[in-house]
Amino acid sequence: MQAFLWQQGEFLLRILLAGVCGAMIGYERKSRNKEAGIRTHMIVAMGAALIMIVSKYGFGDLLGKEGVALDPSRIAAQIVTGVGFLGAGMIFMRKNTISGLTTAAGIWAISAIGMAIGSGLYLLGILTAFVILLIQITLHSNHKWLRETYKDDVCFVIEKDKKNIEDLQKRLQQLHMEILNAKVEEKDDCYHVDFVVNYPKNYDADVLMKLFQEISYIKELDV
């Protein structure tokens, strides 16, 4: 009986450790206002650990019975598929920008960490959690030296004058924004100008806001 209780206690410890690892990564995601936070990461990690424990130890009473063949990896393998569906729900495409990929990858990774801890690989799972946390903190896109150029839409409503369109194009080019496409519509005595631009590596959102404030013929700005 005592051995049974010790074993159950160890299993519970594995699940709790997986939850702590999930909470660490989830806190970093929550601090950046991402789609999945502490609770989601904890639940995924703890659930993965529990499924791994059940897969590895839950069918011991069937071992040795005639006609019974067990493959402990079969149940655990379904975690990868199930979490894949969960992660897919966190990926969004807005205009020309995809968001949620890192969070989805983090959910997938935390399930793997839960599996590792659930199977008894404590050190491997915990160290992996710290490495992932370090990657998410240090290699985040907010760091200017890591930014890449990216394509997105920027829309202006300007006073109806063709010279304003030419001037606006020049100003965007001066800000090192490559104009890939332009669409102009005339509405209510104004031009609605939609640009598809390639933003520079060191782009700062305040630059467009400053442009909006400085140029009198710009009535509205949507980025």
Side-chain angles (χ1 to χ4, degrees):
M1 183 65 179
Q2 188 176 6
F4 172 78
L5 292 176
W6 274 109
Q7 185 186 48
Q8 298 302 307
E10 184 189 359
F11 292 161
L12 181 60
L13 177 63
R14 294 182 188 186
I15 294 171
L16 292 176
L17 275 175
V20 170
C21 291
M24 289 192 307
I25 296 175
Y27 179 79
E28 188 276 337
R29 294 285 85 191
K30 182 183 177 183
S31 67
R32 300 188 190 279
N33 297 317
K34 299 301 180 179
E35 293 78 10
I38 297 174
R39 287 181 300 177
T40 303
H41 283 79
M42 284 187 71
I43 291 170
V44 170
M46 295 173 74
L50 176 59
I51 294 172
M52 194 67 194
I53 291 169
V54 171
S55 180
K56 190 173 181 181
Y57 303 101
F59 304 97
D61 56 327
L62 298 177
L63 291 175
K65 290 191 176 182
E66 187 178 352
V68 175
L70 294 178
D71 180 3
S73 66
R74 289 186 66 182
I75 295 178
Q78 307 311 310
I79 298 174
V80 179
T81 305
V83 173
F85 281 104
L86 182 63
M90 298 175 187
I91 301 173
F92 300 94
M93 183 168 183
R94 178 182 174 273
K95 295 181 180 179
N96 295 302
T97 304
I98 297 175
S99 62
L101 280 174
T102 302
T103 302
I107 287 289
W108 180 81
I110 198 62
S111 70
I113 291 169
M115 291 174 67
I117 295 175
S119 65
L121 302 174
Y122 300 104
L123 186 61
L124 178 64
I126 293 170
L127 288 180
T128 301
F130 276 106
V131 170
I132 290 174
L133 185 62
L134 184 65
I135 289 171
Q136 289 183 333
I137 292 173
T138 59
L139 301 183
H140 197 268
S141 60
N142 282 346
H143 300 300
K144 290 185 177 181
W145 61 281
L146 282 173
R147 289 181 185 173
E148 298 178 355
T149 60
Y150 68 97
K151 183 174 67 173
D152 202 355
D153 295 347
V154 55
C155 306
F156 297 91
V157 177
I158 62 175
E159 292 179 357
K160 188 178 176 181
D161 189 334
K162 290 185 178 180
K163 291 182 180 179
N164 292 339
I165 298 176
E166 296 174 0
D167 180 68
L168 187 57
Q169 288 176 322
K170 289 179 182 178
R171 287 178 180 269
L172 291 177
Q173 289 167 353
Q174 288 171 357
L175 295 173
H176 306 290
M177 296 182 185
E178 181 186 1
I179 299 174
L180 304 176
N181 191 21
K183 180 181 178 182
V184 181
E185 292 184 6
E186 184 180 334
K187 295 181 182 178
D188 302 326
D189 297 326
C190 292
Y191 283 135
H192 289 242
V193 186
D194 295 341
F195 290 118
V196 178
V197 300
N198 212 14
Y199 288 96
K201 188 174 182 179
N202 60 348
Y203 167 71
D204 189 337
D206 292 337
V207 172
L208 278 178
M209 292 306 300
K210 188 176 180 181
L211 188 71
F212 173 65
Q213 293 168 354
E214 288 179 350
I215 303 177
S216 59
Y217 62 74
I218 299 179
K219 302 301 180 183
E220 295 180 22
L221 170 64
D222 181 21
V223 292

